């Protein structure tokens, strides 16, 4: 007999490992003291014990009411605000950890023998972590609410980035302990958790399973046993049906009805590549690939075994109808329909496991063509390789998942090879990116020099001249010669000398002024000429200087022993940051587009959610968008360098602009989206629409 895990020991070991992993996660952020981490662990442990010992959490309405009541009884608005923020954080973490936490919930259903276990009652769920955070803030004493919220923002970033990995590790631990996932349909308290989908927020994370259940519910007169099945293909297909379908699919594949044949040296149409691939679409000028449904395979649409087939058919239909997917990729995916149907009949994990190799294969094929033109030719090296991989999979698949995993590995290698080539080509643009970083440094040091003069107070015309004219002169000198150069020293000395001319003078100082003034004014005029300052503006500034110098001379003659300093104005801070602007930097044949600010601005305090290796779709200028590979992030300014050789797009974007675009939905991380899940969500919305 197989060894059955001891329930008590497994719960105890899971609790220990969970708290250990949570502590390591919090320490990795480098923001919390040991005492603070212990407080969070203590609160999370208390929540774990409470959820394990609970016999049932009641209805969602009762649970929500309890939460609301507990918040209302808090004393003071600060505690209420913090409580609301913790509730919001808990909701965000549920979305971020979607599929991994869903698997853990199913394992705890098995472990605790609790089919009514709600996602808000998972012992290791985000609510327990937020309870620990609440305990940490209570233990921290009377620090202000603003500091608490700032600290919570920093902790949220660490949790968002690392909590999925923690849950993946817990899943492995529970799996190794022999705790299996329960069948999703026995969970009676609520639907599976959601994970954010960029084009379909609010739809079930495992939309394929939900789609299958929706199709089941629509079948008239379906036997009760079938309508309450496990949701997997295995529960829907009898052995006889499997054999019949396999024979039919093999027959189709042998006839080559869905097998592409690439010809070297040419770019045949998709219809020529895959005979029978397209069906007429009266609502479109193009012809879309068609999917295989139960009717075409000789299976009665209302029969339970047809549900698995029609579920996948709707997935493929959604992929083929997506206008953002290149037609060439649709052809590749269409050629794999028969293989996917065979796999679905033999492997129920396709319907329940969001990390199933077959689903990942389609997802990664979508990533492989990111940035390619929508009308990319089949002979493009990336597309030709995808056709080759798909062809190998069709010929090698005989019911073993290893063939799918091998195809997935080949696609991953293709992606890595393409990305490495793009990163290598993007190196030529890094010197242009560095120009932006040097401009920032020049702006900062020039502003600091100006502020040193203005801090003591200067006459209004001189302050305007320093801030609007001489700061730009200093920037140019810094960029050309550096802050330690003789040229930089000459330009800063020129201002020291100018300010000296406005000080009261008598005797020898007047003679020195008469001797030095022409050279001082000559240097100032040269700086203005270099910037192209209008002659009228130059004359007006020199007139202001003459008036100030004359007033200083007269003041000294009236009271040499008690000179009166000319009226001075306090420093007025110069606006920083400026407005976002689009521009270009050229160097030979290279053109680097820029999304930046008119003057230097620091990067956001929180790290960007993207990293080198991601593909991003960003807003460029106006309504123009572009898709490019994130190749490099400047270590000094955090500017991102994105490059796409296929569209000849190279762009450097300031981190504050990129962060804002990502938060507002104007930009997205294209490579993190699941092609398969996106199609399932679209199909589900279409199926469940009123």
């Amino acid at each position: 007999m197989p060894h059955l895990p001891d329930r008590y020991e497994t719960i105890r070991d899971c609790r220990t490992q969970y708290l250990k992993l949570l502590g390591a996660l919090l320490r990795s952020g480098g923001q919390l003291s040991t005492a603070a981490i212990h407080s969070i662990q203590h609160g999370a442990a208390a929540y774990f014990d409470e959820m394990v010992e609970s016999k049932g959490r009641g209805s969602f309405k009762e649970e929500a009411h309890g939460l609301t009541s507990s918040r209302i009884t808090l004393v003071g608005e600060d505690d209420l605000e913090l409580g609301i923020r913790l509730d919001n954080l808990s909701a965000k973490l549920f979305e971020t950890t979607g599929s991994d936490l869903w698997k853990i919930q199913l394992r705890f259903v098995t472990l605790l023998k609790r089919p009514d276990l709600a996602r808000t009652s998972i012992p290791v769920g985000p609510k327990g972590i937020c309870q620990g955070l609440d305990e940490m803030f209570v233990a921290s004493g009377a620090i202000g609410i603003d500091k608490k919220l700032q600290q919570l923002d920093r902790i949220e970033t660490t949790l968002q980035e690392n909590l999925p990995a923690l849950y993946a590790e817990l899943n492995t631990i529970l799996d190794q302990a022999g705790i299996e996932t329960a069948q999703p349909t026995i969970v009676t308290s609520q639907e599976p958790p959601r994970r954010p989908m960029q084009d379909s927020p609010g739809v079930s994370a495992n939309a394929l399973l939900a789609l299958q259940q929706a199709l089941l519910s629509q079948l008239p007169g379906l036997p009760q046993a079938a309508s309450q099945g496990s949701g997997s293909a295995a529960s829907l297909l009898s052995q006889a049906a499997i054999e019949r379908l396999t024979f039919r699919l093999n027959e189709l594949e042998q006839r080559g009805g869905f097998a592409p044949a690439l010809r070297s040296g040419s770019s045949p149409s998709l219809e020529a590549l895959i005979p029978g691939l397209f069906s007429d679409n009266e609502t479109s000028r193009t012809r879309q690939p068609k999917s295989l449904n139960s009717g075409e395979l000789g299976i009665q649409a209302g029969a339970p075994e047809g549900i698995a087939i029609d579920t996948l058919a709707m997935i493929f239909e959604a992929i083929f109808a997506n206008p953002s997917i290149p037609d060439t990729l649709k052809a590749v995916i269409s050629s794999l329909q028969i293989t996917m149907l065979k796999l679905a009949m033999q492997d129920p994990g396709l319907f329940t496991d969001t990390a199933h190799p077959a689903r990942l294969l389609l997802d990664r094929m979508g990533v492989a063509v990111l940035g390619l033109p929508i009308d990319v030719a089949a002979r493009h090296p990336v597309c030709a390789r995808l056709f080759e991989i798909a062809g190998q999979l069709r010929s090698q698949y005989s019911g073993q998942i290893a063939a799918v995993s091998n195809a997935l590995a080949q696609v991953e290698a293709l992606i890595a090879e393409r990305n490495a080539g793009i990163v290598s080509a993007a190196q030529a643009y890094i010197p242009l990116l560095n120009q932006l970083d040097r401009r920032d440094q020049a702006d900062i040091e020039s502003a600091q020099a100006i502020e040193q003069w203005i801090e003591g107070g200067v006459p209004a015309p001189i302050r305007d001249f320093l801030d609007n004219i001489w700061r730009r002169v200093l920037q140019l000198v810094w960029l050309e010669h550096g802050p330690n150069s003789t040229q930089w020293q000459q330009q800063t000395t020129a201002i020291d000398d100018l300010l000296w001319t406005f000080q009261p003078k008598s005797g020898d100082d007047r003679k020195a002024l008469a001797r030095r003034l022409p050279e001082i004014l000559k240097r100032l005029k040269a700086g203005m000429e270099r910037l192209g300052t209008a002659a009228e503006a130059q004359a007006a500034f020199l007139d202001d200087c003459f008036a100030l110098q004359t007033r200083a001379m007269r003041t000294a003659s009236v009271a040499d022993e008690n000179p009166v300093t000319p009226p001075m104005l306090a420093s007025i801070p110069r606006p920083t940051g400026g407005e976002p602007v689009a521009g270009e930097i050229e160097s030979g044949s290279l053109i680097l587009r820029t999304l930046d600010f008119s003057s230097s601005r620091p990067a956001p305090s929180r790290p960007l959610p993207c990293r080198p290796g991601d593909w991003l779709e960003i807003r460029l200028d106006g309504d123009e968008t572009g898709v490019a590979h994130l190749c490099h992030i400047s270590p000094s300014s955090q500017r991102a360098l994105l490059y796409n050789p296929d569209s000849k797009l190279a762009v450097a974007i300031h981190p504050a602009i990129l962060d804002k675009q990502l938060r507002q939905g104007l930009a997205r991380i294209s490579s993190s989206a699941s092609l398969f899940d996106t199609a399932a969500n679209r199909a589900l919305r279409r199926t469940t629409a009123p």
Side-chain angles (χ1 to χ4, degrees):
M1 293 181 62
H3 172 71
L4 296 177
D6 181 270
R7 178 172 171 271
Y8 172 78
E9 291 181 357
T10 302
I11 293 174
R12 180 198 62 195
D13 293 344
C14 179
R15 181 182 188 274
T16 300
Q17 291 298 320
Y18 164 56
L19 296 177
K20 180 180 178 181
L21 291 171
L22 180 59
L25 182 156
L26 296 171
R27 282 191 293 274
S28 70
Q31 302 154 352
L32 296 173
S33 65
T34 300
I37 293 174
H38 286 168
S39 292
I40 298 173
Q41 288 175 308
H42 185 270
Y47 183 86
F48 184 102
D49 296 339
E50 180 185 357
M51 294 302 103
V52 167
E53 295 170 3
S54 173
K55 299 301 182 184
R57 299 295 293 172
S59 68
F60 172 79
K61 183 181 292 187
E62 291 169 348
E63 186 172 342
H65 174 74
L67 285 171
T68 305
S69 299
S70 66
R71 293 302 182 200
I72 292 174
T73 58
L74 291 173
V75 293
E77 295 182 358
D78 288 352
D79 288 333
L80 179 59
E81 181 177 2
L82 180 60
I84 293 172
R85 287 288 298 274
L86 287 171
D87 284 345
N88 290 337
L89 173 58
S90 177
K92 290 180 182 178
L93 295 179
F94 272 114
E95 292 186 343
T96 301
T97 57
S99 60
D100 289 311
L101 192 57
W102 173 231
K103 293 177 188 176
I104 286 181
Q105 179 182 356
L106 295 179
R107 294 191 192 278
F108 268 99
V109 167
T110 301
L111 181 60
L112 302 180
K113 300 179 180 179
R114 287 262 307 280
D116 66 333
L117 182 69
R119 72 170 185 161
T120 52
S121 302
I122 305 172
V124 297
K127 283 183 65 65
I129 297 174
C130 290
Q131 179 170 307
L133 290 170
D134 193 25
E135 186 166 318
M136 179 197 71
F137 286 126
V138 171
S140 65
I143 64 172
I145 183 63
D146 290 339
K147 290 186 177 180
K148 289 182 179 179
L149 296 180
Q150 290 172 5
Q151 186 177 27
L152 186 58
D153 285 339
R154 294 191 294 269
I155 296 172
E156 176 182 342
T157 299
T158 299
L159 292 172
Q160 293 267 25
E161 293 178 351
N162 300 304
L163 203 54
L166 182 150
Y167 286 143
E169 180 68 19
L170 282 180
N171 257 313
T172 301
I173 291 171
L174 289 170
D175 182 46
Q176 292 174 347
I179 306 301
E180 297 181 352
T181 57
Q183 291 293 344
T185 52
I186 74 168
V187 182
T188 59
S189 60
Q190 93 303 321
E191 66 180 27
R194 296 195 300 264
R195 76 177 180 185
M197 293 294 296
Q198 292 174 315
D199 75 327
S200 52
V203 184
S204 171
N206 194 343
L208 181 58
L209 178 61
L211 175 61
Q212 190 182 77
Q213 295 299 319
L215 292 176
L216 277 168
S217 66
Q218 294 176 7
L219 292 178
L222 186 65
Q224 184 70 12
S227 65
Q228 294 180 351
S230 68
S232 68
S235 67
L236 298 173
L237 299 171
S238 66
Q239 185 60 38
I242 291 176
E243 294 175 358
R244 184 171 65 252
L245 283 173
T246 301
F247 177 81
R248 173 64 174 146
L249 293 173
N250 287 336
E251 184 182 51
L252 277 174
E253 198 158 42
Q254 288 171 4
R255 291 206 314 240
F258 281 78
L262 287 174
R263 299 177 177 86
S264 60
S266 64
S267 179
S269 68
L270 293 181
E271 191 170 11
L273 284 172
I274 308 178
L277 168 65
F278 292 96
S279 59
D280 292 327
N281 184 350
E282 296 179 357
T283 63
S284 172
R285 294 182 179 179
T286 63
R287 305 182 72 196
Q288 295 293 342
K290 65 180 181 180
S291 59
L292 286 172
N293 56 37
S294 58
E296 292 176 333
L297 294 173
I299 303 298
Q300 186 178 356
E305 58 264 23
I307 296 298
I309 299 169
D310 289 339
T311 300
L312 283 182
M314 294 192 69
I315 299 298
F316 284 112
E317 286 175 4
I319 291 175
F320 300 152
N322 190 336
S324 65
I325 299 176
D327 286 346
T328 305
L329 178 60
K330 293 176 183 178
V332 174
I333 293 174
S334 181
S335 74
L336 292 174
Q337 284 189 84
I338 293 177
T339 302
M340 293 286 285
L341 284 171
K342 290 179 181 178
L343 188 148
M345 290 185 291
Q346 298 162 341
D347 186 355
L350 176 66
F351 290 85
T352 57
D353 184 3
T354 57
H356 192 282
R359 297 169 72 157
L360 293 179
L361 175 63
L362 299 189
D363 288 347
R364 300 306 285 170
M365 283 183 166
V367 172
V369 301
L370 284 174
L372 296 181
I374 195 68
D375 58 350
V376 61
R379 66 171 176 263
H380 187 286
V382 171
C383 299
R385 179 64 180 136
L386 290 178
F387 274 115
E388 182 181 350
I389 294 171
Q392 292 175 359
L393 176 57
R394 290 195 309 274
S395 64
Q396 295 174 2
Y397 182 75
S398 59
Q400 301 298 320
I401 197 65
V404 181
S405 298
N406 179 57
L408 175 59
Q410 293 183 66
V411 174
E412 293 287 9
L414 173 63
I415 294 172
E417 180 182 0
R418 182 188 179 212
N419 289 351
I422 293 174
V423 170
S424 177
Q427 297 301 305
Y429 291 91
I430 290 182
L432 304 185
L433 176 69
N434 291 340
Q435 289 185 30
L436 295 173
D437 291 349
R438 294 186 72 248
R439 186 206 68 182
D440 280 355
Q441 193 60 32
D443 190 30
I444 291 171
E445 296 199 24
S446 300
Q448 290 174 346
I450 297 296
E451 287 299 321
Q452 289 178 0
W453 289 311
I454 294 180
E455 279 178 357
V458 294
I462 306 306
R463 185 200 66 227
D464 293 341
F465 169 78
L466 293 176
D467 199 31
N468 298 321
I469 302 295
W470 212 250
R471 177 173 57 86
R472 294 159 58 200
V473 171
L474 291 179
Q475 287 176 358
L476 291 174
V477 173
W478 194 103
L479 289 171
E480 293 174 356
H481 305 286
N484 299 320
S485 63
T486 302
Q487 292 83 350
W488 174 271
Q489 185 63 37
Q490 289 174 346
Q491 303 308 325
T492 55
T493 300
I495 302 303
D496 289 334
D497 292 345
L498 175 65
L499 297 180
W500 171 78
T501 66
F502 303 144
Q503 297 174 3
K505 293 174 180 61
S506 60
D508 293 340
D509 286 341
R510 294 186 179 186
K511 295 178 181 179
L513 176 62
R515 184 177 66 254
R516 296 175 56 189
L517 186 58
E519 177 61 26
I520 295 172
L521 296 179
K522 179 181 178 181
R523 278 185 282 165
L524 297 175
K525 185 173 177 61
M528 291 187 288
E529 290 284 355
R530 182 175 185 187
L531 295 181
T533 306
E536 295 80 2
Q538 293 185 40
F541 169 69
L542 295 177
D543 288 344
D544 289 334
C545 290
F546 179 76
L548 290 168
Q549 291 154 359
T550 301
R551 183 168 59 186
M553 297 279 284
R554 290 175 178 172
T555 301
S557 64
V558 172
D560 286 341
E561 296 182 0
N562 188 22
V564 178
T565 304
M568 309 296 254
L569 298 180
S571 168
I572 299 177
R574 181 172 58 87
T576 60
E579 295 297 324
V581 292
E584 290 183 350
I585 301 177
E586 295 188 30
S587 177
S589 61
L590 300 179
I591 299 178
L592 178 66
R593 299 180 65 171
T594 61
L595 292 174
D596 223 290
F597 293 97
S598 56
S599 57
S600 63
R601 177 170 174 175
S605 57
R606 59 188 299 160
L608 292 170
C610 52
R611 62 194 65 190
D614 290 336
W615 280 86
L616 273 66
E617 180 181 349
I618 62 171
R619 181 70 60 88
L620 293 170
D621 190 16
D623 293 331
E624 182 187 4
T625 61
V627 177
H629 186 255
L630 178 51
C631 299
H632 174 76
I633 293 181
S634 167
S636 58
S637 68
Q638 302 302 303
R639 281 186 178 86
L641 172 63
L642 295 97
Y643 182 51
N644 183 353
D646 288 281
S647 62
K648 296 181 174 56
L649 172 65
V651 58
I653 181 169
H654 193 284
I657 297 175
L658 180 55
D659 181 67
K660 184 176 181 180
Q661 285 197 13
L662 288 168
R663 292 179 181 279
Q664 293 182 344
L666 300 176
R668 68 188 185 100
I669 305 174
S670 302
S671 52
S672 67
S674 167
L675 184 151
F676 196 93
D677 288 352
T678 298
N681 276 290
R682 290 182 173 182
L684 178 61
R685 288 202 307 272
R686 187 168 67 251
T687 303
T688 57

